[in-house]
Amino acid sequence: MLHETLSGVAPKNVCVFESDRDFYLAGARVYPFTVPHDAIHCVGFTVAAEGHKAAVCTDLGHVDARILSILSGCELILFEANHDVDMLMAGGYPYLLKRRILSGNGHMNNEDAARAIVSLHAHGVKNVILGHLSRENNYPELAMVTVRSVLEEAGIADDVHLAIASREEPTGVFELK
């Protein structure tokens, strides 16, 4: 049944996993962890190998102590900065969709993402790629300015390297040292 939905993908290239249970892929420890989101089976991932750890964490409505613990020690995180609250509220989305996005199981706004990054920095995170930006309710420059201003207020702007994930092309190569 699974292979029918993955037409064109060779069975040897399929890895079925369970949330909150690590597995190994090419020598790297991959940990898929559940995130607070209102869709079924949403997960973030940490990948650890050779003494380095990185993560992808999107589709989350808030960051709690469990998420902070899981992301602790990551050298690089792709982290959600989905929307600007004012743009969302002034935009054309239906009211119920706006409520869903703004909920604790919706999506991180720029300011909440920034505050989470301040907390993550206290857990060793120094490199963050802002991702999952809404086309309708955010734009890269606004996300960067908003996050950077919160980091400046916290006195850590010079200690956190920020980048923005591109929708159209690879974002770049990041070397973990």
Side-chain angles (χ1 to χ4, degrees):
M1 178 166 43
L2 175 64
H3 297 291
E4 293 169 3
T5 62
L6 297 172
S7 63
V9 177
K12 70 177 184 168
N13 294 327
V14 174
C15 178
V16 177
F17 62 86
E18 290 182 48
S19 300
D20 302 307
R21 219 174 151 170
D22 59 359
F23 63 92
Y24 289 82
L25 188 64
R29 178 184 173 262
V30 180
Y31 182 68
F33 57 95
T34 56
V35 293
H37 192 57
D38 60 1
I40 297 172
H41 302 301
C42 286
V43 296
F45 293 92
T46 62
V47 179
E50 299 178 10
H52 301 286
K53 183 178 173 186
V56 174
C57 193
T58 61
D59 283 336
L60 72 160
H62 69 277
V63 172
D64 56 21
R66 182 182 68 87
I67 300 288
L68 284 175
S69 175
I70 291 166
L71 298 177
S72 178
C74 283
E75 294 170 66
L76 174 67
I77 299 176
L78 172 67
F79 194 76
E80 176 167 290
N82 180 261
H83 62 277
D84 174 79
V85 173
D86 292 335
M87 285 181 72
L88 175 66
M89 293 310 293
Y93 282 6
Y95 174 72
L96 289 177
L97 180 55
K98 289 177 183 181
R99 275 191 41 199
R100 178 185 160 256
I101 291 168
L102 292 169
S103 78
N105 288 320
H107 292 284
M108 295 286 288
N109 67 60
N110 293 338
E111 289 185 10
D112 287 346
R115 285 190 285 277
I117 292 167
V118 170
S119 295
L120 289 166
H121 176 265
H123 287 83
V125 175
K126 304 233 184 224
N127 299 287
V128 179
I129 304 167
L130 303 176
H132 199 239
L133 276 68
S134 168
R135 284 188 192 274
E136 293 80 16
N137 301 304
N138 209 355
Y139 54 94
E141 297 82 5
L142 178 58
M144 183 65 82
V145 166
T146 303
V147 171
R148 176 81 44 214
S149 70
V150 172
L151 298 182
E152 286 172 359
E153 286 175 21
I156 62 171
D158 292 336
D159 201 32
V160 177
H161 177 262
L162 290 177
I164 301 279
S166 172
R167 289 184 193 99
E168 287 78 31
E169 57 191 40
T171 299
V173 175
F174 298 83
E175 185 176 345
L176 303 181
K177 298 178 183 182

